[in-house]
């Protein structure tokens, strides 16, 4: 059983063909401009007591890049974020934010960072507005206009004067985001920002973050264990497991290559007839049959070809659907691969 | 980088937008009213002057002392207990500056409560004993002296509660320990003085009340005002140093 899953994943990786990040950065003809590196993490380790909870993690973040920090619970996502903002001191390695070391030049480095670490915990007994005033006062750019701008941007007018203890989780998330954005940071760190948001809230958040990244070139790190969210927001991912970085790649390289194979599900009423055709034309392909159709790994052109073949044979094809998400594939492969 | 005044404004906002401080102010007012009424209506046989009343009201500073510890003992640790410290520590402000702003706020709130206590008792004294306001005798010094020296004692105790709050990050601990130390040391010190056990003079709480140097005899032979002041300063410097060290260096896991 184990062997089977392994070989399945190995083959799916062959199809997905992950490109290591170094290769992408070095690739000039890629169409992507060279961006300033705003965050540079080198050989980061953290030991608490006797256990090493972060092991030698290195990565860089470009200006305007949205990075998804993925991993199961306890894989060290929050610990890394806490080190990035100086709440925890690294046992080893260094973190530079805009060329400033977070531990030796703390104030200069942290000015460029806005963050929500874990759930946004604000002062319950103050109003949302007072919370914003409080945290904004601690930076040098304080202005009431900017607070009003932020309230408008995140559509908090209706409740910003209420005490925070009356807020729903979604409202708190938004207030948390507002306090992180007030001082116009160049790096935004968000720990599970979609926690407690309703679908509409998630959509709004996604839009806001996209805008920040494209219009203001804010670099964003989002940690999450919900794959679909990361995939929709992020340019790249860093997959953590057991304190180690096990993958760092750009989403667009996982996704959408015309010459890459993906699993497609064909839905059609005459499955038996289709089976005959497939068995004669697609020898050696792994095809899974369901009650209402079948799944097959194909390239984009292959889908068209198969569809034509089926239609020409007089079969009705009701639907063709690409089933897998490239990130899910990567995640499953990397994590299970790492554990077995 | 960020101005210290902004941090003080923040601490002020957090204190006065919470109910607690207003409850404390209310308590001080109610206690004084009860004491003044009791005095006025229970002790009808003896003559009480305005300054007698001020001196008597100074016993209520004991309650103010407890209230100060309640504030000083949680002003730092509550940020850890609620988790808001994470949002404080990720601003371009040195941790030691944050601690400083909280300490200044603590001292200032202690002053405010002692001043309120004195103010209320002066008002109530005027209400009941206004005609004896100018009966000047030893009681004037004794009354005002008690206020001044108890205020100093309150500052010392609050400093200890404050430091414990920064060191242990637990409000419960930082509130209970100074109260326990204070009251148990009263018992210990009285046993030591009765037995003329000289080493007792090195205990912090044998030194925190400076009034005897002016109006009474010191607790132990050979104690001087300078000795007590140095003793207090050494104790505060040590706890203060440890507090700064723990507050600025330790990881934040909340």
């Amino acid at each position: 059983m184990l062997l089977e899953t392994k070989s399945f994943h190995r083959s799916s990786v062959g199809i997905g063909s992950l490109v290591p990040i170094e290769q992408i950065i070095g690739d000039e003809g890629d169409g992507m401009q060279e961006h300033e590196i705003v965050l540079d993490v080198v050989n980061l380790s953290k030991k608490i007591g006797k256990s090493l909870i972060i092991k030698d993690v290195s990565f860089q973040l470009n200006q305007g890049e949205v990075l998804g920090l993925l991993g199961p619970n306890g894989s060290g996502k929050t610990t890394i974020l806490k080190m990035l903002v100086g709440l925890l001191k690294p046992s080893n390695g260094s973190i530079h934010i805009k060329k400033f070391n977070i531990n030796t030049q703390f104030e200069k480095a942290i000015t460029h960072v806005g963050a929500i670490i874990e759930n946004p915990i604000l002062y319950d007994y103050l109003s949302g507005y007072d919370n914003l005033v409080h945290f904004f006062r601690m930076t040098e750019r304080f202005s009431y206009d900017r607070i009003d701008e932020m309230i408008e941007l995140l559509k908090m007018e209706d409740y910003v004067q209420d005490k925070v203890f009356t807020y729903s989780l979604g409202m708190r998330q938004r207030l948390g985001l507002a306090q992180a954005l007030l001082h116009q940071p160049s790096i935004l760190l968000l720990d599970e920002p979609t926690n407690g948001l309703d679908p509409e809230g998630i959509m709004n958040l996604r839009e806001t973050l996209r805008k920040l990244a494209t219009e203001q070139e804010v670099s964003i790190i989002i940690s999450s264990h919900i794959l679909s969210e990361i995939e929709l927001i992020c340019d790249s991912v860093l997959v953590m497991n057991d304190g180690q970085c096990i993958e760092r790649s750009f989403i667009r390289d996982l996704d959408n290559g015309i010459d890459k194979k993906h699993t497609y599900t064909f839905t059609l009423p005459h499955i038996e007839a289709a089976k005959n055709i497939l068995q004669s034309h697609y020898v050696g392909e792994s095809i899974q049959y369901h009650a209402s159709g079948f799944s097959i790994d194909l390239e984009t052109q292959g889908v068209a070809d198969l569809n034509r073949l089926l239609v020409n044979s007089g079969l009705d094809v009701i639907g063709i659907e690409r089933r897998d998400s490239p990130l899910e594939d990567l995640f499953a492969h990397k994590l299970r691969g790492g554990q077995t | 980088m960020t101005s210290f005044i902004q941090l003080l404004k923040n601490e002020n906002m957090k204190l006065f937008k919470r109910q607690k401080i207003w409850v404390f102010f209310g308590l001080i007012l109610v206690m004084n009213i009860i004491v003044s009424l009791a005095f006025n209506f229970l002790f009808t046989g003896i003559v009480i002057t305005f300054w007698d009343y001020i001196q008597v009201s100074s016993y209520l500073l004991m309650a103010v002392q407890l209230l100060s510890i309640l504030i000083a003992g949680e002003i730092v640790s509550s940020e850890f207990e609620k988790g808001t410290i994470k949002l404080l520590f990720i601003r371009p402000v040195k941790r030691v500056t944050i601690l400083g702003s909280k300490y200044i706020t603590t001292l200032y709130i202690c002053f405010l409560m002692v001043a309120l206590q004195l103010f209320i008792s002066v008002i109530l004294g005027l209400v009941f004993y206004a005609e004896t306001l100018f009966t000047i005798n030893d009681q004037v010094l004794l009354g005002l002296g008690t206020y001044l020296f108890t205020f100093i004692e309150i500052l010392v105790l609050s400093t200890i509660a404050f430091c414990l709050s920064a060191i242990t990050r637990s409000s419960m601990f930082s509130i209970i320990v100074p109260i326990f130390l204070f009251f148990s040391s009263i018992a210990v010190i009285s046993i030591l003085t009765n037995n003329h056990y000289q080493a007792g003079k090195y205990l912090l709480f044998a030194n925190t009340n400076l009034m005897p140097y002016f109006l009474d005899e010191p607790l132990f032979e050979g104690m001087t005002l300078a000795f007590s002041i140095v003793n207090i300063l050494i104790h505060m410097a040590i706890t203060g140093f440890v507090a700064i060290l723990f507050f600025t260096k330790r990881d934040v896991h909340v």
Side-chain angles (χ1 to χ4, degrees):
Chain A
M1 208 37 211
L2 264 178
L3 217 74
E4 259 178 42
T5 29
K6 256 193 154 174
S7 67
F8 166 73
H9 287 300
R10 196 167 292 143
S11 72
S12 77
V13 159
I15 294 157
S17 90
L18 299 169
V19 186
I21 197 94
E22 294 81 16
Q23 235 167 296
I24 291 153
I25 288 169
D27 191 355
E28 292 290 333
D30 208 19
M32 182 155 169
Q33 293 148 0
E34 292 273 333
H35 281 292
E36 190 197 344
I37 290 165
V38 288
L39 173 69
D40 191 9
V41 176
V42 181
N43 299 117
L44 195 65
S45 296
K46 178 71 186 173
K47 210 172 183 178
I48 292 181
K50 275 180 184 165
S51 57
L52 197 58
I53 54 172
I54 298 293
K55 298 162 197 160
D56 206 27
V57 171
S58 300
F59 66 95
Q60 290 177 330
L61 185 69
N62 293 320
Q63 192 180 351
E65 181 182 343
V66 183
L67 167 71
L69 189 56
L70 274 173
N73 291 331
S75 57
K77 301 188 298 278
T78 301
T79 309
I80 286 201
L81 291 177
K82 279 184 171 175
M83 284 196 279
L84 294 184
V85 294
L87 288 173
L88 302 179
K89 296 213 166 46
S91 311
N92 222 332
S94 67
I95 298 163
H96 285 85
I97 293 166
K98 289 231 164 189
K99 308 258 190 292
F100 297 112
N101 186 310
I102 189 75
N103 294 111
T104 55
Q105 297 159 292
F106 176 75
E107 288 108 290
K108 281 186 182 151
I110 203 75
T111 313
H112 301 290
V113 182
I116 310 179
I117 307 291
E118 290 163 313
N119 287 330
I121 304 156
L122 298 128
Y123 297 102
D124 266 358
Y125 51 85
L126 296 180
S127 68
Y129 192 84
D130 284 339
N131 267 291
L132 293 181
V133 169
H134 178 278
F135 292 114
F136 202 14
R137 267 191 195 141
M138 298 185 77
T139 66
E140 279 178 329
R141 301 178 189 176
F142 185 81
S143 85
Y144 285 103
D145 290 345
R146 173 69 183 154
I147 296 181
D148 293 339
E149 194 185 313
M150 212 61 242
I151 292 168
E152 209 187 306
L153 177 74
L154 295 175
K155 302 182 185 77
M156 304 193 299
E157 295 93 340
D158 291 345
Y159 53 85
V160 77
Q161 297 296 349
D162 298 342
K163 302 267 186 207
V164 171
F165 68 81
T166 63
Y167 283 23
S168 69
L169 194 50
M171 290 164 159
R172 279 167 199 259
Q173 285 285 11
R174 230 177 283 185
L175 185 60
L177 189 61
Q179 63 78 28
L181 287 173
L182 274 175
H183 56 293
Q184 294 175 303
S186 12
I187 303 178
L188 188 59
L189 307 176
L190 304 172
D191 200 0
E192 309 268 355
T194 49
N195 244 354
L197 289 185
D198 52 24
E200 202 200 332
I202 294 177
M203 248 166 63
N204 287 337
L205 176 74
R206 209 178 284 151
E207 264 170 46
T208 312
L209 295 183
R210 260 282 142 237
K211 241 190 224 170
L212 284 169
T214 51
E215 289 171 17
Q216 300 177 31
E217 295 230 289
V218 177
S219 312
I220 305 174
I221 299 184
I222 307 172
S223 86
S224 181
H225 55 257
I226 302 170
L227 297 168
S228 55
E229 281 169 3
I230 289 261
E231 189 170 13
L232 284 163
I233 308 178
C234 298
D235 302 317
S236 60
V237 286
L238 192 155
V239 183
M240 299 277 307
N241 190 32
D242 201 19
Q244 279 169 311
C245 166
I246 53 173
E247 182 63 47
R248 171 84 167 102
S249 36
F250 279 103
I251 297 258
R252 63 194 168 85
D253 295 299
L254 304 177
D255 198 5
N256 282 338
I258 290 180
D259 53 344
K260 285 171 191 163
K261 284 192 176 182
H262 293 287
T263 308
Y264 290 87
T265 302
F266 284 71
T267 311
L268 64 181
H270 307 292
I271 182 70
E272 287 307 319
K275 214 175 203 172
N276 292 332
I277 297 170
L278 286 163
Q279 272 161 0
S280 55
H281 286 82
Y282 290 82
V283 184
E285 295 277 353
S286 80
I287 303 171
Q288 289 157 305
Y289 296 96
H290 322 297
S292 60
F294 61 91
S295 301
I296 184 168
D297 290 346
L298 288 172
E299 295 161 12
T300 320
Q301 187 56 44
V303 180
D305 293 342
L306 175 55
N307 186 38
R308 196 179 316 113
L309 176 69
L310 291 169
V311 173
N312 288 345
S313 316
L315 292 173
D316 295 333
V317 176
I318 299 171
I320 306 172
E321 208 181 340
R322 210 180 92 185
R323 199 191 49 186
D324 67 329
S325 120
L327 195 56
E328 213 163 301
D329 235 21
L330 163 76
F331 199 55
H333 161 74
K334 282 289 174 179
L335 286 182
R336 279 177 222 152
Q339 273 166 16
T340 45
Chain B
M1 300 230 280
T2 311
S3 99
F4 196 66
I5 301 290
Q6 300 288 351
L7 296 183
L8 290 179
K9 277 191 198 165
N10 276 349
E11 292 307 319
N12 224 41
M13 176 168 81
K14 284 185 272 184
L15 261 178
F16 287 100
K17 291 222 171 175
R18 231 184 319 185
Q19 275 180 354
K20 189 162 82 180
I21 194 78
W22 300 106
V23 172
F24 286 6
F25 287 168
L27 265 176
I28 293 174
L29 178 68
V30 170
M31 283 188 314
N32 275 283
I33 291 173
I34 291 174
V35 167
S36 69
L37 288 178
F39 242 71
N40 202 40
F41 294 112
L42 292 181
F43 301 95
T44 44
I46 44 171
V47 181
I48 299 165
T49 69
F50 174 81
W51 293 103
D52 285 335
Y53 178 72
I54 296 296
Q55 206 264 318
V56 166
S57 76
S58 71
Y59 285 106
L60 285 176
L61 284 174
M62 193 81 103
V64 173
Q65 196 155 21
L66 289 180
L67 298 181
S68 315
I69 292 174
L70 285 182
I71 291 173
E74 67 106 67
I75 192 164
V76 177
S77 44
S78 69
E79 304 265 10
F80 282 95
E81 285 162 349
K82 291 204 182 109
T84 43
I85 196 73
K86 284 187 293 197
L87 291 177
L88 280 183
F89 276 1
I90 59 170
R91 312 288 146 177
V93 180
K94 283 202 170 71
R95 288 190 187 182
V96 70
T97 317
I98 295 175
L99 193 67
S101 71
K102 283 185 174 290
Y103 184 55
I104 301 286
T105 307
T106 307
L107 296 184
Y108 148 81
I109 205 72
C110 291
F111 171 78
L112 212 60
M113 285 201 289
V114 172
L116 180 71
Q117 163 64 27
L118 182 60
F119 177 74
I120 293 173
S121 45
V122 165
I123 298 288
L124 289 171
L126 285 175
V127 168
F128 292 109
Y129 313 103
E131 68 279 7
T132 56
L133 180 58
F134 297 105
T135 316
I136 307 294
N137 55 15
D138 284 357
Q139 288 298 84
V140 179
L141 266 185
L142 197 61
L144 293 180
T146 314
Y147 268 91
L148 176 66
F149 293 115
T150 315
F151 175 53
I152 294 173
E153 205 167 40
I154 288 175
L155 292 186
V156 175
L157 261 180
S158 300
T159 304
I160 290 177
F162 178 85
C163 292
L164 284 176
S165 179
I167 294 167
T168 64
R169 303 178 176 184
S170 149
S171 304
M172 187 77 113
F173 186 84
S174 339
I175 288 168
I176 287 176
V177 167
I179 294 174
F180 173 78
L181 281 181
F182 182 68
F183 286 105
S184 63
S185 66
I186 291 176
V188 171
I189 288 165
S190 73
I191 293 169
L192 294 179
T193 44
N194 286 339
N195 295 306
H196 300 284
Y197 189 73
Q198 287 298 313
K201 70 180 178 184
Y202 295 106
L203 287 174
L204 174 64
F205 291 111
N207 292 281
T208 46
N209 188 359
L210 300 175
M211 190 138 114
Y213 297 116
F214 298 92
L215 297 168
D216 205 349
E217 290 284 300
L219 284 170
F220 296 95
E221 284 167 39
M223 283 174 80
T224 63
L225 179 62
F227 173 84
S228 285
I229 290 175
V230 169
N231 182 295
I232 291 172
L233 290 181
I234 289 174
H235 275 94
M236 303 227 308
I238 292 170
T239 44
F241 177 75
V242 178
I244 291 172
L245 198 71
F246 274 61
F247 189 74
T248 54
K249 297 286 178 227
R250 263 172 72 193
D251 279 350
V252 179
H253 289 289
V254 287

